Amino acid sequence: MYLGFVTFWSGFFQSLIESRDVFFKAAQVTLALTAVSIFIALFIGLFFALLKISNVKPLEWIANAYIYVVRGTPLIVQIFVFFYGLTSIWMISGFWSVALGLAFHNGAYIAEIFRGSIQSIGKGQTEAGRSLGMSQMVTMRRIILPQAFRRALPPLGNQFIIGLKDSSLAAFIGVQEIFALATTRGANTFDYMTWLLVCAVWYLILVFILTLVVGLVEKKLAVSD
Amino acid sequence: MIEVKELNKYFGDLHVLKGIDFNVDESEVVCLIGASGSGKSTMLRCLNFLEMKNSGEIKLKGESIDPNSDDLNGVRQQVGMVFQHFNLFPHKTVLQNVIEAPIQVKKISKSQAKKEGHELLEKVGLGDKADVYPSKLSGGQKQRVAIARALAMKPEIMLFDEPTSALDPELVGEVLQTMKDLAQEGMTMVVVTHEMGFAREVADRVVYMHDGKIVETGAPKDIFENPKEVRTQEFLSSIL
């Protein structure tokens, strides 16, 4: 029993170290997926957040419908719909269909984060901007959004982490990222546990780095406090 | 400078301004006094269209302004506003607060805006605070920055909405002094205030409002010493 424990863990660490190069490559795919999808999702999120606060009913309905659909259906379904749907009309790689699927998914959550943070900025800020002759657009861009973005950062960081981990679903359409690599290795060696734990360690490292980066940005934006 | 005729304003079913007639001449300082809820702030906010009138006419420099067709951003550039709660931009330094609108709205160059910004900050006694964020300022300093920010647009008239009501008592004086300086330079000012000392000393005319109507208007001396209306007498005796 004790011997089995020791053998397993020494085997685990050996696998972790020996496989570092291939996993490093897979981690780059995971990071690229995350970065691309989050980047696009930020714009989607901002767009739908602005629709939601536009006070124009049809625009609000569109935003609500989008958020309702995304929140109400499983991510894996959305990714498969994007994959089969997009590849049937447009030659697009597995990577890009997952990236777009993740962006579409995260955009809805980010829209709600932005909406909340924009609405949390006091009305006085808008009035101050408008009273100086700024248009609604300039007031939004120069006064409200910078403050709202700062307030959105903690929940955004959270969403980024979720996005990073959700990118593991790309494995199901054959993108060679961390989880795909781990399951392949597991199947080949009949040692799933070792490779799942290796995969977990890599995710922990990536999340650690991401948390660090978000923390740094938060600190940088906190100079005005 | 400003002429208001038959101004009516409703919040839902609530009739807050009941047919107001009001005008302000050039270089005149008018203080609006009255109890909370009497409509003074609402009326002030109608003057730069932060609140939209329901009926009546508002003329600026002789021209009637229609919020539906006229360029309100252009109108607001000529009408500076100072708020009770300062509403400084917390993510911008003091100088950035002052130069933001001139750069974004008037499109003047950054160097020119900075030069004028520094001058304005000197004028309100905060030349040394240019690069500080608002969170590091006292209430009185914040309000003086807010005045400088409004002045940076070179408005023709300044509206003050209870500018000292959110301040600690010991900070009220510095803000009133800044306003007094401004009045002496000939700025046209409409001030909603509870500072009767200021109204008495600085105002050319005092307007007493009650329940959405102007009850009495006159020189400070007349209003404070010989109010004609019973309501005005009651109000003044309750606060003085």
Side-chain angles (χ1 to χ4, degrees), chain A residues 74-91:
Chain A
L75 173 55
I76 189 74
V77 173
Q78 293 165 19
I79 287 175
F80 271 90
V81 167
F82 262 78
F83 181 57
Y84 289 111
L86 283 179
T87 46
S88 66
I89 47 170
W90 173 28
M91 276 314 289

Side-chain angles (χ1 to χ4, degrees), chain B residues 12 38 52 89 103-104 123 141 148 159 186 202 230:
Chain B
S38 58
M52 295 301 171
F89 307 134
I103 291 176
Q104 293 294 328
K123 185 171 158 177
Q141 292 171 328
L159 310 177
V202 183
V230 180

Side-chain angles (χ1 to χ4, degrees), chain A residues 26-180:
Chain A
Q28 286 173 326
V29 177
T30 294
L31 267 188
L33 262 181
T34 310
V36 169
S37 61
I38 291 294
F39 183 75
I40 301 171
L42 283 172
F43 288 97
I44 298 178
L46 181 59
F47 177 73
F48 282 100
L50 292 177
L51 291 194
K52 264 202 99 155
I53 59 170
S54 65
N55 278 328
V56 181
K57 282 285 167 220
L59 299 182
E60 285 174 46
W61 293 333
I62 293 172
N64 284 335
Y66 162 64
I67 291 166
Y68 178 73
V69 168
V70 170
R71 284 207 291 212
T73 56
L75 173 55
I76 189 74
V77 173
Q78 293 165 19
I79 287 175
F80 271 90
V81 167
F82 262 78
F83 181 57
Y84 289 111
L86 283 179
T87 46
S88 66
I89 47 170
W90 173 28
M91 276 314 289
I92 184 173
S93 66
F95 177 91
W96 276 102
S97 55
V98 179
L100 292 178
L102 280 171
F104 171 79
H105 179 81
N106 283 302
Y109 291 93
I110 290 175
E112 286 291 39
I113 292 173
F114 277 148
R115 180 186 62 83
S117 65
I118 289 170
Q119 286 177 335
S120 79
I121 305 298
K123 206 166 175 280
Q125 290 291 307
T126 305
E127 289 187 349
R130 299 307 302 275
S131 77
L132 289 163
M134 293 184 201
S135 66
Q136 198 171 355
M137 200 122 104
V138 171
T139 307
M140 184 51 84
R141 185 167 58 80
R142 299 286 307 177
I143 307 301
I144 306 301
L145 286 184
Q147 297 181 58
F149 184 72
R150 229 191 90 191
R151 280 195 200 173
L153 255 186
L156 273 184
N158 213 14
Q159 194 60 41
F160 294 169
I161 289 171
I162 294 171
L164 175 88
K165 293 185 297 181
D166 282 350
S167 72
S168 59
L169 293 172
F172 292 99
I173 52 176
V175 177
Q176 282 301 305
E177 46 67 74
I178 298 176
F179 182 64

Side-chain angles (χ1 to χ4, degrees), chain B residues 180-215:
Chain B
K180 225 182 278 181
D181 295 344
L182 206 54
Q184 270 156 16
E185 287 171 23
M187 176 62 80
T188 311
M189 294 163 59
V190 183
V191 185
V192 171
T193 188
H194 294 291
E195 296 291 332
M196 296 306 150
F198 177 84
R200 192 188 286 240
E201 190 186 342
V202 183
D204 298 306
R205 201 148 47 89
V206 173
V207 172
Y208 171 64
M209 284 184 71
H210 179 79
D211 195 23
K213 289 185 204 133
I214 291 178
V215 175

Side-chain angles (χ1 to χ4, degrees), chain A residues 123-136 138 141-144 146-147 150 223-225, chain B residues 45 48 50 73 76-77 79 81 83 87-92 100-101 104-105 133 135-136 149-150 153:
Chain A
K123 206 166 175 280
Q125 290 291 307
T126 305
E127 289 187 349
R130 299 307 302 275
S131 77
L132 289 163
M134 293 184 201
S135 66
Q136 198 171 355
V138 171
R141 185 167 58 80
R142 299 286 307 177
I143 307 301
I144 306 301
Q147 297 181 58
R150 229 191 90 191
V223 286
S224 59
D225 284 341
Chain B
R45 291 162 59 83
N48 72 346
L50 283 182
N73 297 329
R76 291 192 184 110
Q77 289 178 45
V79 184
M81 175 113 176
F83 299 88
N87 297 346
L88 293 181
F89 307 134
H91 60 303
K92 295 184 180 296
E100 179 69 16
Q104 293 294 328
V105 180
Y133 283 96
S135 58
K136 297 281 187 292
R149 178 177 69 176
M153 290 302 283

